Amino acid sequence: MTMTDTTMKPAAPTASPLQLVSRYGVFVAFLALLVLNIAVTPNFLSWQTLNVNLTQVATIVIVATGMTLVIATGGIDLSVGSLMAISGALAPMIFMGNLLPIDNMALAVTLAFIIPVLAAAACGWFNGFLVTHFRIQPIVATLVFFIAGRGIAQVMTNGNLQVFKNPSFQFIAMGHVAGIPAQVALMVVIAILAYCLIRYTVLGRQIIAVGGNEKAARLTGIPVRRVKTFVYVISGALAGIAGLIVVARNSASDANLVGMGMELDAIAAVAVGGSLLTGGRANIFGTLMGAFVIQLVRYTLLANGVPDAAALVVKAGLIIVAVFIQLRADRT
């Protein structure tokens, strides 16, 4: 009788409670907010409420997706709200003929979608240029357009409210694709593309590598400057798209208000979604869920008579808690 030796495989390390919270806390928070609203918020399960929350969260997800890529490289982008204002100011000027004398309305509307997004992407490139070529800290580099961007938008419009009615342009916010609000469909497409970029492409792996250890990434031949510039360009472009959605939804462009506070919403969505604010990780699906949590927090407060200003305090608190959990989880 022969004995067969068996090799015992080491057991997989057990995740600590903090690590579990870091990974799945956003889903628990989302479900808790759903249960809370079902219990205390009138008509929460109505189609109208669902539509309001989906359309409101779309711009947060779009901007936060770009923010996720930037943060994954170890950076941050404070300029997204101001870039939304620039994009939102440019679009009506184009299709209303205040910027370019275009008689063909179809061409004017097409350019109103393209030029503002390219302008916002160019601003994002400038942010990346400051970060990569002048070694300026991202929080300082993007602070330039955080301050100047909204001023540029106000100068372009002379500080005036631009009111318009253009169904072709406003389709991006008020139209439907296969019964789904166009902005929600666009949000889903952008989130899927970003997920595929991170999950399945060389560039996605390079983004994570740069954020994890920039020096090591450079030594392995990764074009660090190009990668970091790319994520700021994408962040700017997505902010530009979000700006178009906001002004199309409101049927008006107000450079003083478009994108106001969006940088906080985007950073909060990324932090709550589980991506490390120090870089090296990009959880696109987590960012999506984080954005829903941010939106539901705001909706819950407003629906129950709490002033909107309180939502800012709650968002700031969410960021602090999320960062604390991430830091503690990484040490365990």
Side-chain angles (χ1 to χ4, degrees):
M1 182 175 179
T2 61
M3 299 290 292
T4 303
D5 292 335
T6 59
T7 303
M8 298 294 293
K9 294 182 179 180
T14 304
S16 70
L18 277 175
Q19 288 174 330
L20 292 174
V21 172
S22 178
R23 294 175 190 172
Y24 306 112
V26 65
F27 303 101
V28 175
F30 178 70
L31 291 175
L33 284 167
L34 283 181
V35 172
L36 175 64
N37 278 285
I38 291 172
V40 304
T41 304
N43 303 316
F44 178 73
L45 295 179
S46 67
W47 166 249
Q48 182 179 5
T49 299
L50 176 62
N51 184 65
V52 166
N53 280 293
L54 282 176
T55 53
Q56 290 291 331
V57 82
T59 50
I60 301 176
V61 171
I62 291 171
V63 176
T65 298
M67 187 70 75
T68 303
L69 299 180
V70 171
I71 289 177
T73 63
I76 200 160
D77 190 352
L78 298 181
S79 69
V80 289
S82 296
L83 298 190
M84 287 176 63
I86 291 177
S87 176
L90 266 177
M93 294 174 67
I94 295 171
F95 66 72
M96 290 194 302
N98 299 331
L99 185 64
L100 299 171
I102 303 174
D103 295 328
N104 187 315
M105 182 53 68
L107 176 60
V109 170
T110 301
L111 292 177
F113 283 122
I114 296 173
I115 293 177
V117 175
L118 291 179
C123 295
W125 174 86
F126 181 77
N127 288 335
F129 183 80
L130 291 180
V131 170
T132 58
H133 286 74
F134 290 96
R135 304 282 182 170
I136 299 176
Q137 291 182 340
I139 194 170
V140 177
T142 58
L143 192 62
V144 173
F145 266 114
F146 172 81
I147 298 171
R150 193 167 299 279
I152 292 171
Q154 291 168 342
V155 169
M156 288 192 302
T157 61
N158 292 319
N160 297 324
L161 179 69
Q162 298 183 96
V163 180
F164 56 85
K165 185 177 181 180
N166 189 311
S168 297
F169 173 75
Q170 291 178 270
F171 179 84
I172 193 174
M174 299 183 177
H176 289 77
V177 178
I180 302 173
Q183 58 189 303
V184 176
L186 183 59
M187 171 194 78
V188 172
V189 169
I190 289 172
I192 290 174
L193 289 176
Y195 174 81
C196 292
L197 169 69
I198 292 296
R199 183 70 175 82
Y200 300 112
T201 70
V202 173
L203 178 58
R205 291 191 287 273
Q206 290 176 340
I207 289 172
I208 301 302
V210 169
N213 190 323
E214 182 175 329
K215 184 178 180 179
R218 186 176 285 107
L219 291 174
T220 57
I222 293 175
V224 173
R225 284 187 176 183
R226 201 179 311 163
V227 170
K228 294 177 81 170
T229 302
F230 170 80
V231 296
Y232 283 101
V233 170
I234 294 300
S235 180
L238 293 181
I241 292 172
L244 299 182
I245 293 173
V246 170
V247 298
R249 182 196 302 150
N250 296 335
S251 301
S253 172
D254 186 350
N256 300 301
L257 296 177
V258 172
M260 184 67 73
M262 181 56 77
E263 58 281 335
L264 177 60
D265 285 345
I267 294 170
V270 176
V272 173
S275 294
L276 290 175
L277 294 185
T278 52
R281 185 188 301 170
N283 188 342
I284 299 296
F285 186 65
T287 294
L288 176 70
M289 295 302 301
F292 273 95
V293 168
I294 298 302
Q295 171 58 28
L296 277 179
V297 165
R298 181 172 183 270
Y299 179 84
T300 303
L301 294 173
L302 289 177
N304 291 279
V306 180
D308 192 30
L312 297 175
V313 179
V314 175
K315 291 173 194 174
L318 286 173
I319 294 177
I320 293 173
V321 171
V323 172
F324 174 79
I325 291 173
Q326 288 174 6
L327 291 175
R328 292 296 299 273
D330 285 345
R331 293 172 183 172
T332 57

